[in-house]
Amino acid sequence: MSEQSTAEVATEEEPRVSLKRKNNRAWLLVLPVVVSVAFTAVIPLMTVVNFSVQDVFSPSERVFVGLEWFRSIARDPEVRAALLRTLLFSAQVLLLEIPLGVALAVVMPRRGVWVSVALVLVALPLLIPWNVVGTIWQIFARGDIGLGGWTINNVLGINFNYTLDSTDAWITVLLMDVWHWTPLVALLAYAGLRSIPEPYFQAAQIDAASAWATFRHIQLPRLRGVLTIAILLRFMDSFMIYTEPFVVTGGGPGNATSFLSILLSKIAVGQFDLGPAGAFSLLYFLIVQILCYVFFTVLTRSGR
């Protein structure tokens, strides 16, 4: 190769190298996010892992116990019962909120001034903080001063008391979650419906398709991606629910509404057992990740 061709190759490679170096500087924009995640997620997670393999007597006295706390938590019948209650609650939440949210989105107006009014009214429960929602339903469901509880007892003639009856407590927490979070599903489904091109509905009208046929063959298939997101969000949130049932029932009566989150809080804060609480937290986190992966895999593969 001549000196001239070698010089030409060198001049062609120099811009590429300099361009690559300039592009590497873009990673500096990601650095604040990496640092933030490290302090808000990774470091606390490592702290929990450290506690989960130790028996903590005091800030200066600790004993390494390995996987003892994990085995203890996995064999605890109270933890297993709380897991079953949490799974049952999440299943009921999905079975109620997903169909109700889709139905509400279908009947919501798509044109005119009533669109804004409907969106504001539907979104109102989502604007209320979780502890306030619990307080509202704690008062609303009381049989002596609450409108809902008083109506059930005196108008319908049903003996309703969520503080003493486990079934009443379960129904109260379930209805509270449905009231609070069904609007989220409705808004997601409504956004999906608004994205469907109008010619699809015009073709359905020409073919004289019924409302059910239009929903089944046009609207529902187009909502598959939106409903996948809604199911994942509602499952994760319902599986980790804490504030609302804690405010309303405190996990009672007995252990009727004692979900995994409430039991974890009892161990970590009430008993201050940092070792078992750390192991419990990691197992809890692992269960959520596995179930979300299963949900996502099943929903995405069924849509192919």
Side-chain angles (χ1 to χ4, degrees):
M1 184 179 293
S2 62
E3 295 181 357
Q4 183 178 0
S5 60
T6 304
E8 291 177 355
V9 172
T11 55
E12 290 179 358
E13 291 181 351
E14 286 178 359
R16 294 179 183 178
V17 173
S18 61
L19 181 61
K20 186 176 180 181
R21 289 175 180 173
K22 289 181 181 179
N23 288 337
N24 286 337
R25 296 177 183 176
W27 287 101
L28 296 175
L29 300 175
V30 188
L31 185 60
V33 178
V34 175
V35 174
S36 176
V37 171
F39 277 99
T40 59
V42 178
I43 294 179
L45 181 61
M46 292 300 100
T47 304
V48 173
V49 172
N50 183 34
F51 282 139
S52 67
V53 294
Q54 299 185 71
D55 192 359
V56 182
F57 299 100
S58 68
S60 59
E61 297 182 11
R62 304 180 183 182
V63 177
F64 180 79
V65 296
L67 300 178
E68 178 181 345
W69 297 129
F70 291 92
R71 289 190 291 265
S72 176
I73 293 296
R75 296 171 182 173
D76 191 342
E78 190 176 0
V79 174
R80 294 181 180 179
L83 175 60
L84 292 177
R85 281 191 295 269
T86 308
L87 289 173
L88 178 60
F89 180 78
S90 297
Q92 292 177 347
V93 163
L94 293 179
L95 290 175
L96 289 174
E97 294 183 9
I98 300 301
L100 285 176
V102 173
L104 183 58
V106 170
V107 301
M108 287 174 61
R110 295 192 181 94
R111 297 182 184 87
V113 68
W114 292 107
V115 173
S116 300
V117 176
L119 290 175
V120 170
L121 292 178
V122 170
L124 279 178
L126 298 175
L127 304 178
I128 305 176
W130 297 343
N131 57 335
V132 178
V133 170
T135 305
I136 291 173
W137 278 81
Q138 183 186 42
I139 299 174
F140 177 77
R142 286 186 56 173
D144 51 354
I145 62 174
L147 179 60
W150 184 90
T151 303
I152 294 174
N153 287 329
N154 296 277
V155 178
L156 301 180
I158 301 175
N159 186 16
F160 180 86
N161 191 339
Y162 70 87
T163 62
L164 298 177
D165 189 270
S166 58
T167 303
D168 295 343
W170 184 275
I171 293 175
T172 301
V173 174
L174 182 61
L175 291 178
M176 174 181 59
D177 193 87
V178 170
W179 174 82
H180 191 197
W181 290 110
T182 298
L184 175 64
V185 181
L187 293 176
L188 290 174
Y190 185 76
L193 292 176
R194 290 294 299 268
S195 66
I196 301 176
E198 191 64 27
Y200 284 88
F201 298 101
Q202 295 174 356
Q205 290 179 354
I206 295 174
D207 294 337
S210 63
W212 169 250
T214 302
F215 172 76
R216 180 181 178 184
H217 297 289
I218 296 178
Q219 295 175 317
L220 188 59
R222 293 276 177 167
L223 289 177
R224 187 180 299 274
V226 173
L227 292 182
T228 299
I229 298 174
I231 290 173
L232 289 175
L233 290 176
R234 289 307 307 127
F235 169 74
M236 287 188 293
D237 190 63
S238 62
F239 196 80
M240 297 183 293
I241 188 172
Y242 172 76
T243 306
E244 297 96 319
F246 181 79
V247 173
V248 176
T249 64
N255 292 323
T257 57
S258 180
F259 303 114
L260 284 175
S261 57
I262 295 179
L263 183 59
L264 174 59
S265 175
K266 175 183 175 182
I267 296 175
V269 180
Q271 302 174 2
F272 204 69
D273 291 333
L274 298 182
F280 196 159
S281 300
L282 294 177
L283 291 176
Y284 198 174
F285 175 76
L286 182 62
I287 291 172
V288 173
Q289 296 300 315
I290 292 175
L291 292 177
C292 288
Y293 175 77
V294 172
F295 267 109
F296 180 78
T297 303
V298 171
L299 292 173
T300 51
R301 287 185 178 180
S302 62
R304 294 177 181 176

